[in-house]
Amino acid sequence: MFNISDNQFQPDKLYKSFSLSSHETKVFGEAVKGIKVRTCHRAGVVRVYRVNSLQLPADQLWFVAIASFIQIAIAYSHLVFDMDGKSDFRFQGKDEEGNERRMTVAGYFTERYGELKYPKLPCLHVGPVTRNIYFPLEVCMLDTPQKYSKKLTEKQTSAIIRAAAVDATAREHRIAALCEQAAFQKDSFLKEFGLQISPKMCETTARVLNPPRILFGEKNHYSDPVVVPKDGAWSLDNQRLYVPAICRSYSLIAMINPLEQRTLE
């Protein structure tokens, strides 16, 4: 699996003929599905779309241009193959004068808005699923911060846990710093409604619960089989469980990409 944050995928590392492999396209398509993007190719016009899927590169996605009506044609009945065996989607048609005109998405953007920097990057299918609205990847930007609803990777989950696992004192300092940064005392809207927010935290009565204990089996390292945790964990070194079990056989199934088989070694 590739990481979109890798250096090779940074804008300053891309070049005009840069393209994604089939595996990268599949992974990236799953990652962007459902997110909201806004287009930036028309000055002064901001429109937000939801991504449906990832499509062919802009220089391989063809459509028919008829006068002022533009129709993207994506249908397997129009799938053709070139001499190199590569496939692309094309649609043939005629304008009002009977002249046939075919154009790629990259060609259309070059004619209307300027040449694309990365024409071999895929297009995004956005908007209603029943409508054929496609934009090159480089003219789309992530909308304002939005909720990520997909399952996080192990690395992402670990990073969130490390960021959230702070002691009470450090968390108190963070909250105090954010409160000071917000400057509620100078907020004109709060004053207008007669509201005040104290920078001091509320104090309440609480108690510390006793940690759960564990009962080891006979002939354990401790003289007392009932042990309390130390530093939030029980030490299992040279210990015998109260009711031990034996795993007589097991099997492993590695469902990974063939290119990542080296990680199993």
Side-chain angles (χ1 to χ4, degrees):
M1 181 178 295
F2 78 102
N3 188 350
I4 198 65
S5 63
D6 290 343
N7 290 333
Q8 62 174 327
F9 296 105
Q10 297 300 322
D12 57 342
K13 300 294 183 180
L14 301 181
Y15 45 90
K16 189 171 184 178
S17 60
F18 182 87
S19 62
L20 300 179
S21 66
S22 58
H23 176 63
E24 292 170 344
T25 301
K26 179 180 178 181
V27 175
F28 184 59
E30 294 175 353
V32 300
K33 184 177 181 180
I35 66 174
K36 293 181 180 179
V37 297
R38 49 189 171 89
T39 56
C40 59
H41 62 290
R42 299 174 62 185
V45 179
V46 179
R47 299 198 62 179
V48 179
Y49 301 89
R50 186 177 296 276
V51 177
N52 299 316
S53 61
L54 200 66
Q55 295 295 331
L56 291 173
D59 62 349
Q60 296 181 27
L61 195 59
W62 295 70
F63 63 87
V64 58
I66 303 178
S68 60
F69 177 74
I70 303 297
Q71 178 184 7
I72 301 292
I74 298 296
Y76 284 97
S77 59
H78 300 103
L79 180 64
V80 298
F81 295 86
D82 58 21
M83 297 301 294
D84 296 330
K86 298 180 180 179
S87 62
D88 57 19
F89 290 93
R90 302 181 183 181
F91 187 86
Q92 300 182 13
K94 296 182 179 181
D95 58 19
E96 296 177 349
E97 299 178 356
N99 299 320
E100 181 182 279
R101 188 184 184 192
R102 294 184 305 170
M103 184 182 295
T104 63
V105 173
Y108 172 76
F109 270 80
T110 299
E111 184 177 295
R112 294 291 299 272
Y113 308 107
E115 185 178 4
L116 294 178
K117 295 181 179 179
Y118 316 110
K120 294 190 177 299
L121 288 181
C123 293
L124 295 179
H125 178 206
V126 301
V129 180
T130 56
R131 296 187 59 187
N132 297 320
I133 304 176
Y134 298 87
F135 288 108
L137 195 60
E138 66 181 77
V139 303
C140 298
M141 301 178 61
L142 281 176
D143 194 26
T144 53
Q146 51 195 287
K147 179 182 177 181
Y148 185 80
S149 58
K150 298 182 177 62
K151 183 178 180 180
L152 300 178
T153 63
E154 293 183 2
K155 186 176 181 180
Q156 292 170 332
T157 303
S158 177
I160 290 180
I161 293 176
R162 286 198 303 269
V166 296
D167 55 49
T169 303
R171 190 177 297 277
E172 180 183 2
H173 291 164
R174 287 185 182 181
I175 296 175
L178 290 174
C179 185
E180 182 179 357
Q181 182 180 356
F184 293 119
Q185 294 80 1
K186 302 179 181 179
D187 194 305
S188 58
F189 292 98
L190 293 179
K191 292 181 179 180
E192 184 69 22
F193 287 93
L195 299 177
Q196 294 182 352
I197 298 179
S198 174
K200 297 182 179 180
M201 293 191 175
C202 298
E203 295 183 0
T204 183
T205 303
R207 62 190 180 93
V208 179
L209 299 177
N210 294 326
R213 300 179 298 172
I214 186 172
L215 176 62
F216 286 109
E218 299 179 354
K219 299 180 181 180
N220 62 82
H221 179 69
Y222 300 100
S223 57
D224 188 355
V226 180
V227 180
V228 296
K230 182 180 180 181
D231 297 330
W234 296 285
S235 176
L236 298 180
D237 296 338
N238 301 321
Q239 301 302 323
R240 182 179 179 85
L241 298 179
Y242 186 77
V243 182
I246 300 176
C247 180
R248 301 187 182 278
S249 63
Y250 66 91
S251 60
L252 297 175
I253 299 178
M255 303 179 66
I256 64 173
N257 186 278
L259 300 177
E260 300 178 352
Q261 290 184 356
R262 295 181 180 178
T263 59
L264 298 179
E265 299 178 358

